[in-house]
Amino acid sequence: MKIIDNFLPEEDFKRLQKLVIHDVPWFFQNKINDGHSIKDNTSYFTHILYNYEHWPHIYSEYFHNFKVLSDKLEIISLMRMKLNLYTRTEKTEMHVPHTDYRISHKGCILSFNTCDGGTILFDDNEKEIKVDSVENRALLFDPSKVHSSLSCTDAKARWNVNINYF
């Protein structure tokens, strides 16, 4: 795990932040991950930019705007790039722990706003490690290891991009 603050140059970050928060269309998901049920009250919004599992791989006309991230991460092979919008909740909710893919690979979560939400990683002793959602902070980790997302209580929403790659 590695945390990098001020991951992108300010001008690039502000351009992406505006795009994500104000311009991109969002799509409702009736469960956050496969550990959740459609019957529970968890939900969020996503915008898939790229997904190697589906054709066409480039899902979104906005994908080209995120080249600055691909370049910064030195991506050799992109698996998925997905924008997430977790709406504010009354109290912080930790979503069901999950893995993104079974195969070991690289992952990056870049936060577009600062809030009391975040990501929970688990160390080898299953101890929780909270990584706060801080504007322009990148969390680099192996998403084939169990992790969880957290909702926020102190902002309208928590916005981030989740990138899976080699």
Side-chain angles (χ1 to χ4, degrees):
M1 170 190 77
K2 185 174 184 180
I3 297 168
I4 305 171
D5 287 326
N6 301 309
F7 185 68
L8 291 176
E10 186 173 0
E11 184 178 323
D12 291 332
F13 177 77
K14 291 297 184 186
R15 180 180 51 80
L16 288 180
Q17 182 185 50
K18 179 187 178 303
L19 184 77
V20 168
I21 294 175
H22 299 290
D23 299 333
V24 168
W26 292 95
F27 302 93
F28 180 76
Q29 306 299 318
N30 59 10
K31 61 181 188 172
I32 291 177
N33 64 51
D34 289 337
H36 287 278
S37 162
I38 292 173
K39 294 179 182 178
D40 69 24
N41 285 328
T42 61
S43 62
Y44 74 140
F45 294 84
T46 64
H47 184 98
I48 297 174
L49 298 163
Y50 181 96
N51 191 339
Y52 84 101
E53 295 178 309
H54 299 95
W55 188 260
H57 300 314
I58 297 175
Y59 256 46
S60 171
E61 65 185 271
Y62 295 94
F63 175 69
H64 71 277
N65 292 285
F66 292 82
K67 184 177 184 318
V68 64
L69 276 174
S70 299
D71 292 347
K72 178 87 175 189
L73 293 167
E74 299 178 344
I75 292 174
I76 295 168
S77 180
L78 182 61
M79 297 168 72
R80 182 179 66 174
M81 188 179 291
K82 177 176 69 107
L83 299 172
N84 297 315
L85 187 167
Y86 301 94
T87 57
R88 186 184 72 78
T89 53
E90 198 64 32
K91 60 182 183 172
T92 302
E93 296 175 4
M94 183 171 116
H95 305 124
V96 174
H98 68 283
T99 61
D100 291 358
Y101 296 98
R102 291 183 189 166
I103 186 170
S104 181
H105 64 287
K106 296 177 181 178
C108 174
I109 297 174
L110 176 68
S111 296
F112 288 108
N113 68 314
T114 299
C115 63
D116 63 358
T119 302
I120 299 287
L121 303 177
F122 299 90
D123 68 13
D124 293 336
N125 299 316
E126 297 184 18
K127 181 182 173 207
E128 294 180 7
I129 302 166
K130 181 184 180 201
V131 179
D132 294 326
S133 181
V134 174
E135 179 176 296
N136 202 12
R137 172 178 283 175
L139 165 62
L140 307 179
F141 69 112
D142 180 351
S144 71
K145 306 237 188 268
V146 176
H147 58 282
S148 295
S149 52
L150 293 171
S151 66
C152 70
T153 64
D154 65 344
K156 289 186 182 284
R158 176 181 173 224
W159 288 272
N160 64 39
V161 61
N162 179 17
I163 307 165
N164 304 91
Y165 64 100
F166 292 100

